[in-house]
Amino acid sequence: EYMYKGLLEYFASVLAKSADGLTAYKIRKDLEEKNINKDLIDQIENILEECTIVLYSSSNSQNNSSNLMGFYRNANVSLQKEGR
């Protein structure tokens, strides 16, 4: 839950928007308008979808948390490469 909220807050600050009501779809559209690399946008959307799955699944297993940390690290590396 904290990772998902943190990511929404991060993208809200990057996009100069409120995190309230911000969705993966809205983030995608705003990043596309800023001409961000499509592969990076796909990675970000995948991470947000994975967070949503874990957030709303009945079994928040350690394995899912570990997978999300891997996704988070990959996104962080990608974002740093893009200079965002």
Side-chain angles (χ1 to χ4, degrees):
E1 175 181 7
Y2 296 113
M3 184 182 299
Y4 181 71
K5 287 182 179 180
L7 287 169
L8 288 181
E9 290 289 335
Y10 171 76
F11 286 109
S13 69
V14 167
L15 300 170
K17 297 192 177 242
S18 170
D20 295 333
L22 195 59
T23 64
Y25 177 79
K26 289 178 182 178
I27 292 170
R28 170 179 274 286
K29 290 299 174 191
D30 285 343
L31 292 175
E32 287 173 345
E33 288 176 11
K34 292 182 178 287
N35 296 315
I36 302 299
N37 177 290
K38 182 189 179 314
D39 291 335
L40 178 59
I41 294 172
D42 290 343
Q43 288 176 10
I44 291 166
E45 190 170 45
N46 185 37
I47 291 165
L48 291 170
E49 287 172 2
E50 289 292 325
C51 286
T52 302
I53 289 168
V54 171
L55 184 62
Y56 293 108
S57 72
S58 59
S59 61
N60 280 339
S61 70
Q62 183 65 32
N63 188 36
N64 283 342
S65 295
S66 296
N67 288 340
L68 283 176
M69 287 305 294
F71 281 122
Y72 177 77
R73 280 190 291 276
N74 289 339
N76 190 32
V77 168
S78 297
L79 287 170
Q80 288 175 356
K81 286 180 184 175
E82 284 291 321
R84 306 277 184 251

